[in-house]
Amino acid sequence: QVQLLESGPGLVKPSETLSLTCAVSGDSINNYYWSWIRQPPGKGLEWIGYIYYTGSTNYSPSLKSRVTFSVDTLENQFSLKLTSVTAADSGVYFCARHTFGDPLRVWGQGTLVTVSS
Amino acid sequence: DVQMTQSPSTLSASVGDRVTITCRASQTISGWLAWYQQKPGKAPTLLIYKASTLESGVPSRFSGSGFGTEFTLTISSLQPDDSATYYCQQYNVYPRTFGLGTKVEIK
């Protein structure tokens, strides 16, 4: 059974870069799309974008200028970098697996990131 | 972006009640709509996809309907375990967008 596990610093300073990794176990990262979703405290879900195992990406226009995804097929993991963070970037960050025409069927447990000096 | 509008934002109902949540899309999304359930401190879980297809393992008291721009999630007989926030999401176009959620409370 596939499992996703997000990891990264829980605290990031304003204006710095937020870096997270999602480790995939129980299945290959190949042949799937991998999305990042975030949820500010007490608020709803926001889709950040996806990366395909080949490295092709699709970012939400609202974050496109600050976000970069990468994939490591050998390590079976993928990563997110978000630059110039502010307090508005605080929240729980989830990774999820899907195919091109499918919803987000498998989710990680999420990791809380706080942006604060 | 496709805007997803959910209503109500919160609802309180008794065990055994029939509960309906509505989701409206700002443009047609055909049947490419999913419903998720999220409990506090947990990741969302997929309940329904393609507007009306029940995900494997989801109790049959959950059902979905709709096409185009109007969709509903129905819980036929509310159970204590259904206390959660429910989100709709369109996956017809990118960026994929979510509704703001409906919090379901048990009276």
Side-chain angles (χ1 to χ4, degrees), chain A residues 105, chain B residues 33 46-56 63-65:
Chain A
R105 187 164 264 115
Chain B
L33 184 100
L46 178 65
L47 293 176
I48 288 170
Y49 62 99
K50 283 186 194 173
S52 61
T53 303
L54 207 63
E55 176 71 343
S56 176
S63 65
S65 65

Side-chain angles (χ1 to χ4, degrees), chain B residues 4-86:
Chain B
M4 306 300 294
T5 303
Q6 271 184 252
S7 61
S9 56
T10 61
L11 72 86
S12 182
S14 300
V15 171
D17 283 354
R18 182 181 182 88
V19 167
T20 299
I21 299 168
T22 298
C23 180
R24 290 188 174 88
S26 61
Q27 64 190 63
T28 183
I29 56 170
S30 296
W32 304 112
L33 184 100
W35 290 97
Y36 301 87
Q37 178 191 67
Q38 186 180 32
K39 296 186 177 180
K42 301 292 188 182
T45 59
L46 178 65
L47 293 176
I48 288 170
Y49 62 99
K50 283 186 194 173
S52 61
T53 303
L54 207 63
E55 176 71 343
S56 176
V58 173
S60 59
R61 64 181 179 272
F62 291 93
S63 65
S65 65
F67 188 85
T69 61
E70 299 266 341
F71 301 88
T72 59
L73 171 70
T74 299
I75 308 174
S76 61
S77 178
L78 191 66
Q79 299 301 304
D81 189 51
D82 300 337
S83 178
T85 300
Y86 295 83

Side-chain angles (χ1 to χ4, degrees), chain A residues 30-97:
Chain A
N30 293 341
N31 301 315
Y32 287 101
Y33 291 77
W34 304 93
S35 277
W36 288 97
I37 305 98
R38 69 180 184 177
Q39 185 170 38
K43 295 191 176 182
L45 301 162
E46 179 185 17
W47 180 80
I48 301 171
Y50 75 67
I51 185 165
Y52 192 43
Y53 78 102
T54 57
S56 65
T57 56
N58 187 323
Y59 301 127
S60 174
S62 64
L63 294 168
K64 188 174 184 177
S65 63
R66 297 194 293 129
V67 70
T68 304
F69 295 161
S70 60
V71 63
D72 185 336
T73 55
L74 293 180
E75 292 293 325
N76 225 40
Q77 63 185 30
F78 58 103
S79 300
L80 168 155
K81 288 189 187 299
L82 183 65
T83 61
S84 306
V85 298
T86 69
D89 295 310
S90 297
V92 177
Y93 285 72
F94 298 98
C95 56
R97 186 184 84 171

